[in-house]
Each structure stands twice: as structure tokens, then as C-alpha cells.
Amino acid sequence: AGGDRVRAARLFGASDALHATWSLPPWDPVDRRDHDHNQAIARALLAEDTWAAAHAEGLSLDPEQAVAYALGDLDPWSTRDG
């Protein structure tokens, strides 16, 4: 279960990076609320240092890597997730 939580933190990091990198328009208010709510839930399930490290790992993914990780085709951290 911990691996799923770490994966969620990485995916939120990747999402945050892609949104900023692609200079997307501001979030629709409903989408922003849902994103923030779900991110807060995911964040609460991990220790702060674990969340910060996993989120930073997601931020480091380029767009192709982020999509591959989301689809399960790439997992450079598989030996650390336990």
C-alpha cells in the first residue's frame, strides 16, 4: 500500500510539473478544487519527508516519462517502493 501512496505523490508531482511546463490556462475552479482535495488526501497518507521526496521525483519527470509512468510502462524507482 505504501508504494501506491508514493506513486500517487509522484503522479501529483508530474501533473504539477506538466501544468507549469506547458503554460496551460488556469485550472477550472471545479477541477482545481478536486485536484487540491485529492492531493491533500494523498499527502496526508504519507510522512511529510516521504511526500516531499516522491513529489520532487515526479516533478523531475519529462512529459514522455510522466506519461509512461502513469501508464505503468516506466518505473525507475521500482526497487525502492517495496
Side-chain angles (χ1 to χ4, degrees):
D4 291 341
R5 294 171 184 164
V6 169
R7 181 174 172 76
R10 289 182 185 138
L11 289 170
F12 274 111
S15 171
D16 293 344
L18 291 174
H19 200 270
T21 299
W22 288 348
S23 302
L24 298 175
W27 289 79
D28 172 80
V30 173
D31 292 338
R32 172 47 96 186
R33 183 193 69 219
D34 289 346
H35 174 272
D36 292 350
H37 174 76
N38 291 324
Q39 188 168 357
I41 291 169
R43 187 176 193 142
L45 295 173
L46 290 172
E48 184 58 34
D49 60 332
T50 303
W51 169 270
H55 189 267
E57 288 172 340
L59 287 170
S60 74
L61 296 174
D62 66 38
E64 292 80 16
Q65 291 172 321
V67 170
Y69 185 64
L71 294 174
D73 295 336
L74 171 75
D75 191 353
W77 307 284
S78 64
T79 60
R80 294 190 293 168
D81 285 349

